[in-house]
Amino acid sequence: MATQAAFLARLPQLALLQQPGGGDRATAPVRVRVPGAVVSQGTKAVAVAAKATARRGVRCQASLIEPDGGRLVDLVAPEEGGRRAALRREAAALPHRVRLGRVDKEWVHVLSEGWASPLRGFMREAEFLQALHFNAIRGEDGRMVNMSVPIVLALGDAQRRAIQADGATRVALVDERDRPIAILSDCTGIARTVVALYWDISITVYVGRYQSIRCINTLFPSFSSIEIYKHNKEERIARTWGTTAPGLPYADEAITNAGDWLIGGDLEVIEPIKYNDGLDQYRLSPAQLREEFARRNADAVFAFQLRNPVHNGHALLMTDTRRRLLEMGYKNPVLLLHPLGGFTKADDVPLSWRMKQHEKVLEAGVLNPESTVVAIFPSPMHYAGPTEVQWHAKARINAGANFYIVGRDPAGMGHPAEKRDLYDADHGKKVLSMAPGLERLNILPFKVAAYDTKQKKMDFFDPSRKDDFLFISGTKMRTLAKNRESPPDGFMCPGGWKVLVEYYDSLVPSEGSSKLREPVAA
């Protein structure tokens, strides 16, 4: 962790750089299948131009995969010029406010940093329908960009009527304490072009690859409008999950009881989203990740998404992937260990405990800190299987990853009403290999790992001696930890296992009480 800590410590000292993007657009890679992998051949290296991220002082400059849409969206207002203070004053004075729930705020975070590039705000109806029916949206250049989950903001009927009656063109988004987070409006492509050509009073805006395009709506009020449309919840749930059965965690949290209307438009976020939970230093934006990969001279970045503690089987898959990339001719492949940090279902291990467990894994040398970047992915979790895994992969393209590791039943869950898995375990990796808009991403399906009782370690499953292998499911792992029992030697590093046991200990009822304690922060 020392290497990453040093990087985090020096972020404020990094010089700002804002300049036009250079180089031609990367040609789409030809996918050539080799055993257990998809290899890119003929991909032209693209110099990633510097992206101004004044809020954190980060430069984005590396030969990495190009973001979707050709540039990395940045929707956070700049610190210079008093823009943030002006937005706060405006938001406080706006007559219409939409209060954000937990998941809504996580989506603002995702949108603000460019994880969903080229999306510039909550979806309008055309974007919503494209995402829902095609798992992709059409970019400004006319090409389809993968976008498999709708990113939308729900609105109640009373607010809808009030906003429409007033003809409001700008709406404040506020948190649970009514503090302004962002302003939602519309900044059309025409308006952005006009701003780019003529806005030279105090800030130069360059419309080019990897550049943030600031949406200065106050200069051109005639372009400002917002879009409100019907929220067909049943259709949304059916198309996202393939079922409308009750008990889908994300649907219960963010859809079923949400408003019957959706409001779409571009976002200008007042300041970077912070959680003040002791983990913000791990919440690296796509621009910051690209800067770190460049600093490490990475010539390949392979991403591993997870929402569970890391055991030695996971580590085996990641270290073997790096070995394979070295054999392909890459000189310095870097792992992005990228735990999901947004909403998860109640029985998942909380983020703070997972991050503490991941730290122990690196401290024990199970993963090499010199070739591993640990960061938090701010998206909420849908548990939507093959549909959602496309979103997970697409977002990592914007962070600079050109390889994505996918395993059994990615983003899956058990059926909420029946005793079976909701999705076919192999469909996720098959869908990723065919998904529109993900042609540039190299999919690395991993082999099955299990505990080798002869070698006393996690190893790749060998069907010729299947009786020597023990499969330790997530349920079994949780049961062992809850009962304070130790797993077989070599299943997980001792420090990591101790963290897991401590977490489940924190759930034991207090003495004299039958109520489970809330999990304490790690």
Side-chain angles (χ1 to χ4, degrees):
M1 304 293 277
T3 301
Q4 186 165 323
F7 165 67
L8 293 168
R10 71 186 185 89
L11 281 179
Q13 285 74 46
L14 290 173
L16 296 179
L17 182 61
Q18 182 168 348
Q19 64 184 42
D24 296 330
R25 182 181 298 274
T27 56
V30 178
R31 290 188 165 197
V32 181
R33 294 200 176 274
V34 298
V38 180
V39 186
S40 171
Q41 289 188 343
T43 302
K44 188 174 182 180
V46 177
V48 177
K51 182 174 92 68
T53 49
R55 65 190 186 278
R56 300 181 189 173
V58 180
R59 293 178 299 168
C60 177
Q61 193 170 25
S63 295
L64 299 171
I65 189 171
E66 188 178 63
D68 277 342
R71 57 179 172 259
L72 199 55
V73 166
D74 177 10
L75 304 179
V76 179
E79 288 184 290
E80 65 271 13
R83 182 63 185 157
R84 292 183 183 178
L87 276 176
R88 283 193 190 93
R89 289 193 299 270
E90 181 188 0
L94 285 172
H96 298 286
R97 294 181 160 207
V98 175
R99 181 167 290 150
L100 303 176
R102 171 190 170 180
V103 171
D104 299 326
K105 187 175 177 181
E106 290 169 357
W107 281 127
V108 170
H109 185 178
V110 165
L111 291 164
S112 71
E113 293 184 341
W115 295 100
S117 294
L119 199 61
R120 301 191 56 80
F122 286 107
M123 290 178 173
R124 301 164 180 81
E125 187 174 30
E127 294 164 325
F128 173 69
L129 292 175
Q130 289 174 57
L132 204 60
H133 292 269
F134 308 142
N135 286 354
I137 58 175
R138 193 171 297 282
E140 291 179 3
D141 60 1
R143 292 194 290 182
M144 297 302 287
V145 173
N146 192 276
M147 193 66 246
S148 62
V149 296
I151 301 180
V152 293
L153 180 61
L155 194 67
D157 195 54
Q159 273 197 307
R160 186 267 306 177
R161 289 196 304 268
I163 291 170
Q164 290 181 330
D166 285 355
T169 59
R170 291 168 72 76
V171 172
L173 306 185
V174 300
D175 66 12
E176 68 283 356
R177 298 181 183 177
D178 277 339
R179 294 174 299 192
I181 298 295
I183 291 179
L184 186 75
S185 63
D186 185 39
C187 183
T188 66
I190 295 174
R192 289 199 295 272
T193 301
V194 173
V195 171
L197 291 174
Y198 298 108
W199 173 244
D200 58 0
I201 299 171
S202 61
I203 303 174
T204 300
V205 180
Y206 179 84
V207 182
R209 294 188 183 98
Y210 311 99
Q211 273 317 112
S212 309
I213 302 178
R214 301 296 182 188
C215 181
I216 314 298
N217 296 285
T218 52
L219 290 177
F220 304 96
S222 61
F223 289 120
S224 296
S225 64
I226 49 181
E227 185 174 349
I228 298 176
Y229 55 101
K230 192 68 178 175
H231 186 189
N232 190 331
K233 299 176 186 179
E234 183 178 30
E235 181 185 22
R236 180 183 171 190
I237 293 171
R239 287 195 170 272
T240 302
W241 284 272
T243 180
T244 56
L248 298 167
Y250 184 94
D252 290 347
E253 177 75 15
I255 300 178
T256 304
N257 297 316
D260 293 330
W261 300 87
L262 298 173
I263 182 168
D266 278 26
L267 279 175
E268 192 168 10
V269 181
I270 295 172
E271 61 185 359
I273 302 295
K274 299 291 184 183
Y275 298 82
N276 300 313
D277 58 357
L279 298 175
D280 283 331
Q281 74 270 22
Y282 287 107
R283 293 185 174 95
L284 303 183
S285 69
Q288 288 176 304
L289 286 168
R290 285 173 173 268
E291 170 69 21
E292 176 65 355
F293 298 145
R295 190 189 70 80
R296 298 191 187 206
N297 295 315
D299 57 354
V301 176
F302 57 108
F304 188 79
Q305 144 107 16
L306 71 167
R307 68 175 196 271
N308 292 307
V310 175
H311 58 63
N312 289 356
H314 295 136
L316 174 66
L317 298 167
M318 290 180 266
T319 54
D320 187 68
T321 296
R322 189 170 196 274
R323 177 192 61 78
R324 289 156 58 191
L325 292 174
L326 289 168
E327 289 179 352
M328 291 175 195
Y330 291 98
K331 302 300 182 184
N332 188 31
V334 170
L335 165 66
L336 172 58
L337 183 64
H338 217 196
L340 186 135
F343 164 80
T344 54
K345 54 190 176 69
D347 61 348
D348 281 352
V349 177
L351 177 65
S352 61
W353 288 94
R354 284 186 278 132
M355 293 305 295
K356 186 175 181 181
Q357 194 268 349
H358 299 345
E359 289 177 359
K360 296 299 182 182
V361 169
L362 268 77
E363 286 175 8
V366 177
L367 293 172
N368 183 359
E370 295 300 317
S371 58
T372 303
V373 174
V374 183
I376 293 172
F377 179 44
S379 175
M381 186 77 190
H382 284 67
Y383 305 91
T387 297
E388 184 177 17
V389 74
Q390 296 174 65
W391 158 241
H392 292 166
K394 172 252 172 46
R396 275 39 180 249
I397 290 177
N398 288 329
N402 53 340
F403 290 88
Y404 187 79
I405 304 173
V406 61
R408 180 187 180 279
D409 197 21
M413 61 172 282
H415 194 286
E418 302 173 16
K419 291 184 177 181
R420 62 178 177 86
D421 288 340
L422 188 52
Y423 306 106
D424 185 291
D426 292 325
H427 281 184
K429 60 187 176 185
K430 290 179 180 178
V431 166
L432 276 184
S433 69
M434 303 180 288
L438 295 182
E439 294 84 1
R440 297 180 298 131
L441 186 65
N442 301 291
I443 307 304
L444 297 169
F446 58 62
K447 310 170 192 174
V448 176
Y451 186 77
D452 188 334
T453 58
K454 298 292 186 183
Q455 301 293 327
K456 297 191 181 303
K457 66 176 184 177
M458 297 296 289
D459 205 348
F460 293 120
F461 177 68
D462 182 355
S464 67
R465 51 186 193 92
K466 59 182 180 180
D467 293 338
D468 293 340
F469 285 88
L470 176 65
F471 288 89
I472 302 175
S473 66
T475 301
K476 175 67 173 175
M477 180 180 71
R478 289 189 291 271
T479 301
L480 289 171
K482 287 176 184 176
N483 294 335
R484 301 182 62 87
E485 298 177 29
S486 297
D489 289 342
F491 172 74
M492 184 184 291
C493 69
W497 184 256
K498 182 180 178 182
V499 170
L500 200 56
V501 171
E502 288 174 354
Y503 162 64
Y504 283 108
D505 276 352
S506 76
L507 301 180
V508 174
S510 306
E511 187 174 348
S513 171
S514 60
K515 184 178 179 180
L516 285 179
R517 295 203 306 260
E518 291 294 319
V520 298

